[in-house]
Amino acid sequence: MARIAFILLTHKEPEAIIQQATRLTATGDYVAIHFDGRSDPGDFARITEALAGNPGVTFARRRYKCGWGEWSLVAATLSALRAASEDFPLATHFYMLSGDCMPIKSAEEAHEFLDAEDCDYIEAVDFFDGGWIKTGIKDERLTRYHLFNERRNKRLFYASLDLQRRLGIERKVPDDIRMMIGSQWWCLRRQTVEKLLKLCDKRPEIIRFFARTWIPDETFFQTLVPHVVPRDEIRSRTPTFLMFTDYGMPVTFYNDHYDLLVSQDYLFARKISPEAQELKAKLGVLWQAEGTRFAISNEGPGLFRFLAGRGRVGRRFAPRFWEGDAGLGRKHSLRIVVAKKWHVAKRLTAAIREQTDIAAVDYLFNEEAANLPDLGGTENTLAKRHRHRRALLRLLFEQFDSRQLVICLDPSALELISDFSGDRANIRILLIDTQFDDAYVRGHIGRVGLAGKNTSPELIERILPTVRADLEEETERLRDMSYADFHVISAVQDDELNTDAMMAFLDVPPQVAHDLVSTPKLFD
């Protein structure tokens, strides 16, 4: 019967690694762990201490500092592979896994699957003609020298590529090697691993070649296995279920994917979300189950492509949330504080949050940090906020569980103000009218890029009147729009008038309104 030595590449979550190794070895299989040399030494100590008494666990002889796309990932794999080959002489198969892989079949089923055919499972298609690479550089993965990591040193990575192109520097693939490419998740027989390791020892020039290629974990094993094993003993597929988005990123699986995963014709799945604790628990139990039979439907990739495609046009199960109802709703009241001096408006919203139960955020369409709650990624970029402005506000009403919401806008945002004022919701506007002295206008000139550190004072003085007039014009245009529910407070206005304006704007008692407009240094 097959006995599997799992080659486990990890770099984080020591408790999850301990659980994974314990679970996999509980069925008589083995685990060889490589823990990234860049990771916390304390985490590695916890792993080695917890697994010290487990005879089915070994560790790579050398820990490499791994980087995505680098040779270090292959070197780490080889280190763990040699350790497993030496320490587990009864292992018949060697299965490559990562820390976020989980079984989607029982160990019993996995052993029967591997016993059924005397073959290796590794995806291997022609590098140049197979069409496997969808984005990024292709031939230059091999023909250029890759000395820098694209993710850590993007500028140096592409500068090096450009220099080699201009100088005509090209590497040649070894004459007797046919380059192949495929998924880095494979399962190889013992005899294949032994032949491969001997080839590495005998042909150091092959190691040197791959050590300077880009993303060699997708080409090294995929190229060498067909050189040591007859083609009819290779199944060009991965035994691990994984899918990629159009952007080349792995699809992540969550708690509600259990039924989909176990119905795929694979032994393991990548990648499982660290937050999917319920899914991990169920799959962990499944690995040790006996007598379980699986109905294979293999609908995963097709279903993903269909749903992803429908999602792009807003038809994945239901309309997109920002298209279902384009308005804020009659029951909601949006209060807009308009102020050119952002620090003044933010003092007011801070006071509103402190002294009332009304939800208040800051310049959410101008600043990343605007006292927003976590909205699941909808709020991450300013461009996304602008694009789905009303959807964002509906989410805020829902998140705060409130029918009232205060936001801040700059007077230059007349388009936004006009857009919101046309909504069926109750829209109220509070203008904080401020004076623009020379010091403020000079600061504004620098903030908007009209002048730099080395701009002459004479030039700044010449444009001061123009810029001040432009600032004042923004406020005048807002007044000219003649909104029905329009209120004004200012430092030069009578205290009673400010209080009345605040009462009308927020629907708060006179004392609360007075306290708000009397906020210390509000207009400073």
Side-chain angles (χ1 to χ4, degrees):
M1 185 182 77
R3 297 187 71 177
I4 308 169
F6 292 99
I7 310 303
L8 189 57
L9 294 194
T10 62
H11 67 283
K12 60 181 179 179
E13 299 180 355
E15 292 304 321
I17 296 169
I18 294 167
Q19 293 175 15
Q20 189 178 33
T22 303
R23 175 174 56 247
L24 294 175
T25 56
T27 53
D29 296 299
Y30 311 100
V31 174
I33 299 173
H34 179 278
F35 192 69
D36 196 334
R38 297 183 190 276
S39 300
D40 187 346
D43 287 346
F44 184 61
R46 287 167 58 191
I47 295 170
T48 54
E49 181 180 351
L51 298 174
N54 190 329
V57 175
T58 191
F59 292 87
R61 303 291 190 254
R62 175 182 171 184
R63 290 173 60 203
Y64 289 85
K65 294 181 178 180
C66 297
W68 186 89
E70 293 181 358
W71 167 254
S72 54
L73 285 173
V74 178
T77 305
L78 287 172
S79 180
L81 199 56
R82 289 184 185 275
S85 178
E86 295 169 4
D87 294 350
F88 305 129
L90 297 181
T92 61
H93 293 77
F94 297 79
Y95 196 125
M96 178 76 173
L97 287 179
S98 73
D100 52 20
C101 292
M102 286 291 292
I104 56 175
K105 297 292 183 293
S106 63
E108 182 180 69
E109 180 82 5
H111 294 152
E112 290 178 4
F113 177 87
L114 296 177
D115 283 335
E117 279 196 273
D118 185 20
C119 63
D120 298 302
Y121 293 92
I122 181 167
E123 185 180 27
V125 300
D126 188 271
F127 181 92
F128 299 100
D129 300 325
W132 199 85
I133 299 174
K134 303 301 182 184
T135 60
I137 62 175
K138 183 180 177 181
D139 293 9
E140 288 183 316
R141 287 192 185 192
L142 310 176
T143 60
R144 308 297 183 189
Y145 291 91
H146 294 280
L147 309 175
F148 305 99
N149 186 287
E150 193 264 352
R151 292 194 173 180
R152 292 200 306 270
N153 298 294
K154 188 180 290 288
R155 184 177 63 82
L156 291 176
F157 180 89
Y158 287 105
S160 172
L161 264 184
D162 185 58
L163 179 63
Q164 292 179 69
R165 289 166 184 160
R166 287 190 282 114
L167 296 179
I169 298 175
E170 285 195 22
R171 298 195 310 156
K172 186 180 179 183
V173 177
D175 290 335
D176 59 341
I177 295 294
R178 180 189 176 190
M179 291 300 304
M180 308 293 280
I181 191 169
S183 169
Q184 62 268 54
W185 313 109
W186 37 256
C187 181
L188 305 176
R189 296 166 297 170
R190 171 172 284 279
Q191 60 265 37
T192 303
V193 168
E194 291 173 346
K195 291 177 182 178
L196 188 145
L197 294 177
K198 286 180 181 178
L199 178 63
C200 293
D201 295 336
K202 184 180 178 181
R203 298 281 303 274
E205 75 277 9
I206 294 178
I207 302 295
R208 288 195 296 270
F209 173 78
F210 279 100
R212 287 291 175 257
T213 62
W214 182 233
I215 320 183
D217 53 326
E218 293 178 351
T219 55
F220 180 80
F221 294 98
Q222 297 78 358
T223 296
L224 296 190
V225 168
H227 283 80
V228 298
V229 174
R231 174 62 63 176
D232 60 1
E233 295 181 16
I234 297 174
R235 301 296 173 264
S236 185
R237 56 157 292 188
T238 172
T240 297
F241 179 61
L242 68 163
M243 297 187 296
F244 289 91
T245 68
D246 292 347
Y247 303 99
M249 300 300 292
V251 174
T252 301
F253 299 108
Y254 296 91
N255 287 332
D256 56 350
H257 286 124
Y258 177 83
D259 291 333
L260 180 143
L261 291 177
V262 299
S263 65
Q264 306 309 306
D265 188 19
Y266 296 86
L267 304 182
F268 282 74
R270 182 182 186 273
K271 68 185 202 171
I272 310 299
S273 169
E275 300 173 1
Q277 295 301 317
E278 179 184 337
L279 175 61
K280 287 186 173 184
K282 292 173 71 174
L283 293 176
V285 171
L286 178 65
W287 176 249
Q288 299 182 51
E290 295 182 359
T292 303
R293 288 296 172 255
F294 300 86
I296 303 301
S297 58
N298 262 350
E299 81 286 7
L303 182 61
F304 174 76
R305 286 192 298 270
F306 172 78
L307 293 179
R310 305 322 293 155
R312 292 190 192 97
V313 295
R315 295 175 62 187
R316 180 178 177 177
F317 305 130
R320 290 183 175 185
F321 74 90
W322 55 79
E323 296 173 346
D325 178 10
L328 303 180
R330 296 183 188 278
K331 64 181 181 179
H332 291 135
S333 180
L334 179 65
R335 320 296 172 90
I336 304 174
V337 176
V338 181
K340 195 67 185 180
K341 295 185 176 180
W342 293 4
H343 56 283
V344 176
K346 289 193 279 190
R347 287 189 193 124
L348 177 60
T349 53
I352 291 172
R353 287 191 292 269
E354 181 179 346
Q355 300 180 37
T356 75
D357 294 329
I358 300 173
V361 298
D362 300 331
Y363 287 86
L364 71 169
F365 296 108
N366 299 96
E367 295 181 305
E368 294 285 355
N371 276 290
L372 291 176
D374 181 5
L375 298 175
T378 304
E379 79 288 2
N380 282 352
T381 66
L382 293 178
K384 186 181 288 189
R385 296 180 197 175
H386 274 272
R387 189 162 59 248
H388 308 306
R389 60 189 72 163
R390 296 197 186 195
L392 174 63
L393 295 181
R394 288 204 307 276
L395 282 177
L396 287 173
F397 280 116
E398 181 178 335
Q399 187 74 12
F400 286 119
D401 192 21
S402 173
R403 294 192 175 186
Q404 299 181 73
L405 174 66
V406 177
I407 67 172
C408 299
L409 292 179
D410 190 274
S412 63
L414 292 178
E415 178 188 351
L416 284 177
I417 297 171
S418 178
D419 181 28
F420 293 142
S421 67
D423 195 272
R424 289 173 295 182
N426 174 233
I427 308 296
R428 302 183 189 183
I429 299 173
L430 177 71
L431 171 66
I432 303 181
D433 199 7
T434 51
Q435 302 299 310
F436 305 116
D437 58 24
D438 287 355
Y440 176 83
V441 177
R442 288 192 187 95
H444 178 76
I445 289 172
R447 286 190 293 273
V448 299
L450 293 176
K453 292 188 298 184
N454 299 321
T455 303
S456 67
E458 293 78 11
L459 176 59
I460 293 177
E461 292 303 316
R462 283 204 301 272
I463 65 174
L464 267 176
T466 303
V467 175
R468 180 184 289 106
D470 189 59
L471 295 175
E472 293 171 349
E473 177 63 19
E474 287 179 352
T475 301
E476 289 306 310
R477 288 202 302 270
L478 179 62
R479 292 177 183 273
D480 290 342
M481 296 174 86
S482 302
Y483 292 114
D485 227 328
F486 183 84
H487 313 279
V488 180
I489 62 172
S490 74
V492 297
Q493 187 169 274
D494 181 82
D495 187 62
E496 185 175 346
L497 290 177
N498 282 342
T499 299
D500 289 343
M502 190 61 67
M503 288 173 57
F505 178 63
L506 291 179
D507 279 336
V508 292
Q511 186 59 50
V512 174
H514 179 269
D515 291 345
L516 289 173
V517 297
S518 302
T519 298
K521 300 183 179 181
L522 175 61
F523 297 103
D524 284 3

